[in-house]
Amino acid sequence: MGVTYKYFGAPDGATAARVPISMRPEELGGDELGMNGMFTKIKPETMAAMVLTGIEGVPLHKVPPLELVVLHPDYAVVKLPMTVVDPLRGIGEESVGAAAFIWSTVPDRGGPRDAFNVYQLLHEWQDFSHRLHEAGHQPYCLVWP
């Protein structure tokens, strides 16, 4: 079935670590994990690399690692660097389109992605980055099988 990722904002690691272990994807609401979180099948490492490489021009080998907040047998919570969401707040359509095109040419396990789908994903991330900034939150990701 694959791994599911729920991206959310929290003011700090202690708050992010209090993710209830019994919650399944369909039970996760806005209040538990920060308003307007995002479900996706895109790995946090992939998002970090895509934003930093495709938008910021950071070489792939210089993309910072994610910070592990909680490792539990049933789930994990990781913190993404702010450098992954901050750049999205200040870019326009041209930069989003260029980053989507760049990422669409990079093959992953499923082959290259459609640039328009990547473009839509980047816009979702752009909205997410604005919500995080307005709330004063850091980006986290809940990972579970």
Side-chain angles (χ1 to χ4, degrees), residues 4 13 67 82 141-142:
T4 302
E67 179 184 325
M82 285 305 291
C141 184
L142 171 64

Side-chain angles (χ1 to χ4, degrees), residues 26-84:
E26 60 277 0
E27 297 171 327
L28 292 172
D31 294 336
E32 298 86 0
L33 295 177
M35 291 304 290
N36 301 314
M38 297 190 319
F39 286 111
T40 182
K41 294 286 187 182
I42 308 290
K43 296 191 306 187
E45 301 90 332
T46 303
M47 281 309 306
M50 194 233 11
V51 169
L52 294 175
T53 304
I55 294 172
E56 293 289 285
V58 174
L60 200 52
H61 69 281
K62 297 255 187 197
V63 172
L66 304 176
E67 179 184 325
L68 183 64
V69 176
V70 174
L71 180 59
H72 184 275
D74 296 328
Y75 69 93
V77 175
V78 295
K79 179 181 177 186
L80 286 79
M82 285 305 291
T83 53
V84 172

